[in-house]
Amino acid sequence: MRAHSIPSSTSRRKNSLILAGAALGAFMLAGCVTTPVAQGNDSASVAEAAQAPARGPFVSAANPLAVDAGMKVLARGGSAVDAAVAVQAVLGLVEPQSSGLGGGAFMMFYDADTEAITVYDGRETAPASATPELFYENGKPLPFVDAVLSGRSTGAPGAVPMLALAQKQHGALPWSELFGDAEKLAQDGFVVSPRLAGMINGNAPQAKTRWATAYFTKPDGARYVAGDVLQNPAYAETVRTLAREGAAGLQTGPLAEAIAAAVAEGPRPGGLTTADIAAYRPVVREAVCGPYKVYVVCVPPPPSSGASILQLLAMGETTPDLDKGAQSPEAWAAFGQLQRLMYADRDRYFGDPAFVSVPVAGLLDPAYAAERAALAPALRGAAPFGTPAGAPRLGADVTREPAGTSHFVVVDARGNAVSMTTTVESLFGSGRMAGGFFLNNQLTDFSLVPTAADGTPAANAVAAGKRPRSSMSPVIVLDREGRLVGALGSPGGSSILAYNAKALIGALGWGLPLQEAFDLPNLVAKGDGFGADTEGFPTAVRDGMAARGVVLRPNTTETSGLHGGLWRNGRWDRAADTRREGVARTQ
């Protein structure tokens, strides 16, 4: 697949403010006219944005060392994209359980001069040899863990080529000057954080592969623990190669050969070749944007599931209970039931738009959103999927999305912003390594069962060259004039949609400071249950939710790692999820 050309500045600004597709223009305009200001929200902060445009330096990311690297780049006059390169290079070293050079990403870039948003799709692609039965053995799907650990799970890496393209178009510093912190930390060593130590010594099978065992074992035979200094000279050499050669340093030559060789090892070798790696191209796409309260929320289009968040917010605008605030059981019950409806539609219809028609316009149509929202109060058990306009006939989805992702936000001194979600998929990806970094297992983000019993294909079935559906949904928030208000996002597998929606509703709908919105208890309602940070809810709220059919059980999905900021009253209301180790800095 080839990269799309970038629209002109004029059309890009228009597309950033009008929902993708002509049928959605009326929705956007209707939202501008009819959407009320959120109760408890300070509309003066929106007016302030017009007088004092959002400016950096600002970085929020999941590890302080990565934030330091980004802030140093910004201090040297680097752009938001320059800093994003540095942040990702360090995260891949110090937080390898979540993202890295062997993985993929989605980046939302806001251009302060044109007020345009560009989406960079760095999602991995299946090799040319892939078939719908990629994860079948003896006529039936592999157990999920076996699929993850196999060579079949690795797609052509997309994060580095994506960053290289974005930096070529929006960078201010030479590419070669963006890897210094990552190289030094890898060569001299970095202090293992408690979170990384927990993953190294945890039960994830990817931490026990021969590659991971060799990396995470000290000379005395013990595994690294928190406070130990871990060196990775192979990673230092890799980032030196990238600094010198750009993305070609990963897509061709020794690094590409090492990736293909690791994939080709048993058990269950994969078909990714150096030709597949070299052929990978990031895709430039147009953002999908929708109104929420006095704001415009923008997300990536498919294969990202970001439009599902907009669907939930649109349903929420017709659900008065949702506006009752963080102490209201009615609000939380409504949030859970709307999620069930959102996930039912997402799981049925979303996939790579080069292979399947995703009915984004129909899902976001106001009439459809209201129709779906009306089902919420009476829902008991899993929600049925709906039939929006333009919906193709598709089979049931059988996709699992385990833990292992990160999110960061960068704003530079000119007001350009990056909101980027990045991943190797599972914890430490497939557990295989090359060049000092872990390889992704993104292909297990496809539906392991490609067709329904009647032969109807799933939207997210495997195909050669196809990008797996993703829950990664980096968010940029604008005011109604197209000016930057903020950016946020989270890891969490399929729970990303719930985590991002909670943060947006908490901050923009309930008027909470962003840190308080991030720290609200999580509620994830997919299928027939309600997973939650159960003890985080007051007893009265839990009881009130139960009376409305929302009975909480402990959340068993990856926890949130929300990072971001909102421009309020001329300064950054910044936040980093206290469930992880990140920080948010402006100095």
Side-chain angles (χ1 to χ4, degrees):
M1 299 191 308
R2 301 185 62 184
H4 298 178
S5 61
I6 301 177
S8 68
S9 295
T10 301
S11 65
R12 285 166 63 201
R13 179 176 180 182
K14 179 180 180 182
N15 286 327
S16 74
L17 297 178
I18 299 178
L19 291 164
L24 297 179
F27 175 38
M28 183 66 214
L29 293 174
C32 291
V33 172
T34 65
T35 303
V37 176
Q39 188 174 35
N41 207 357
D42 182 4
S43 60
S45 64
V46 178
E48 180 75 15
Q51 301 169 24
R55 294 285 185 266
F58 171 60
V59 182
S60 179
N63 186 283
L65 294 172
V67 173
D68 289 345
M71 291 295 286
K72 289 176 186 176
V73 169
L74 295 178
R76 301 203 312 265
S79 71
V81 175
D82 290 332
V85 176
V87 170
Q88 176 65 90
V90 172
L91 282 177
L93 174 69
V94 303
E95 200 197 24
Q97 71 271 23
S98 296
S99 73
L101 306 179
F106 285 93
M107 174 194 286
M108 300 276 286
F109 173 74
Y110 174 83
D111 187 315
D113 290 335
T114 63
E115 297 181 349
I117 293 175
T118 304
V119 178
Y120 291 91
D121 176 349
R123 187 67 161 159
E124 299 87 338
T125 54
S129 61
T131 68
E133 290 77 30
L134 177 65
F135 295 109
Y136 271 53
E137 201 167 87
N138 300 320
K140 55 184 182 179
L142 284 169
F144 187 72
V145 171
D146 291 344
V148 168
L149 294 173
S150 75
R152 305 179 198 177
S153 69
T154 299
V160 171
M162 183 206 76
L163 284 166
L165 175 62
Q167 198 273 338
K168 180 179 180 181
Q169 295 174 343
H170 302 290
L173 299 177
W175 167 270
S176 61
E177 296 180 6
L178 305 177
F179 297 89
D181 275 44
E183 180 187 352
K184 180 175 176 54
L185 288 166
Q187 193 68 51
D188 297 346
F190 63 95
V191 176
V192 174
S193 73
R195 184 174 177 82
L196 174 55
M199 304 303 178
I200 289 172
N201 295 284
N203 295 322
Q206 300 95 310
K208 298 179 173 64
T209 64
R210 73 163 185 84
W211 295 271
T213 297
Y215 180 33
F216 293 137
T217 302
K218 295 184 286 188
D220 65 3
R223 288 220 159 196
Y224 284 89
V225 297
D228 285 342
V229 175
L230 177 58
Q231 295 174 297
N232 190 337
Y235 195 94
E237 181 57 35
T238 289
V239 294
R240 281 193 288 269
T241 298
L242 294 179
R244 183 175 61 249
E245 300 178 20
L250 182 136
Q251 292 189 267
T252 61
L255 272 178
E257 292 167 6
I259 292 169
V263 167
E265 286 198 31
R268 300 182 178 90
L272 185 72
T273 67
T274 54
D276 294 316
I277 298 167
Y280 180 86
R281 296 294 182 271
V283 179
V284 176
R285 303 188 189 274
E286 294 177 354
V288 182
C289 299
Y292 181 62
K293 307 304 179 184
V294 298
Y295 303 98
V296 176
V297 178
C298 297
V299 293
S304 163
S305 301
S308 295
I309 298 172
L310 301 186
Q311 181 189 6
L312 189 149
L313 296 177
M315 290 189 291
E317 293 278 40
T318 70
T319 306
D321 277 353
L322 193 63
D323 288 332
K324 292 182 179 179
Q327 302 304 313
S328 165
E330 294 92 344
W332 284 105
F335 180 49
Q337 299 288 33
L338 294 177
Q339 280 187 53
R340 281 178 157 176
L341 294 158
M342 170 192 74
Y343 277 116
D345 284 352
R346 192 288 296 259
D347 291 351
R348 177 64 54 159
Y349 295 117
F350 278 69
D352 185 338
F355 291 79
V356 63
S357 177
V358 184
V360 173
L363 290 166
L364 300 184
D365 181 84
Y368 180 76
E371 173 190 319
R372 293 290 278 166
L375 301 175
L379 266 183
R380 295 295 182 268
F385 65 89
T387 308
R393 184 171 179 268
L394 295 166
D397 178 77
V398 185
T399 300
R400 291 178 58 181
E401 294 181 71
T405 303
S406 198
H407 185 85
F408 62 86
V409 167
V410 182
V411 184
D412 63 32
R414 292 169 291 280
N416 304 309
V418 163
S419 184
M420 179 168 153
T421 312
T422 174
T423 189
V424 287
E425 177 50 9
S426 296
L427 297 176
F428 304 117
S430 68
R432 301 178 183 223
M433 297 183 75
F437 57 86
F438 284 93
L439 304 183
N440 71 80
N441 66 293
Q442 295 292 6
L443 302 190
T444 56
D445 263 1
F446 283 118
S447 178
L448 298 192
V449 178
T451 59
D454 64 358
T456 306
N460 193 36
V462 183
K466 190 174 182 180
R467 296 166 189 247
R469 184 189 72 202
S470 177
S471 292
M472 292 189 290
S473 304
V475 174
I476 284 182
V477 182
L478 309 174
D479 68 15
R480 291 300 177 92
E481 298 303 315
R483 293 167 297 220
L484 179 68
V485 170
L488 59 83
S490 180
S494 63
S495 299
I496 288 172
L497 307 178
Y499 299 154
N500 285 0
K502 178 203 74 172
L504 290 165
I505 291 167
L508 306 183
W510 299 342
L512 297 175
L514 190 60
Q515 189 65 59
E516 289 186 23
F518 284 5
D519 291 343
L520 287 169
N522 286 320
L523 172 63
V524 181
K526 182 179 180 183
D528 61 0
F530 297 95
D533 299 338
T534 309
E535 298 307 314
F537 287 94
T539 301
V541 174
R542 288 204 308 268
D543 291 346
M545 293 167 70
R548 290 163 177 81
V550 178
V551 179
L552 304 183
R553 64 187 184 193
N555 186 13
T556 57
T557 64
E558 180 185 7
T559 191
S560 59
L562 288 151
H563 290 87
L566 293 175
W567 186 253
R568 285 172 159 168
N569 301 313
R571 62 181 181 83
W572 283 105
D573 176 16
R574 60 191 190 274
D577 202 319
T578 53
R579 298 168 181 86
R580 302 219 178 185
E581 298 171 333
V583 295
R585 292 183 183 155
T586 56
Q587 297 291 335

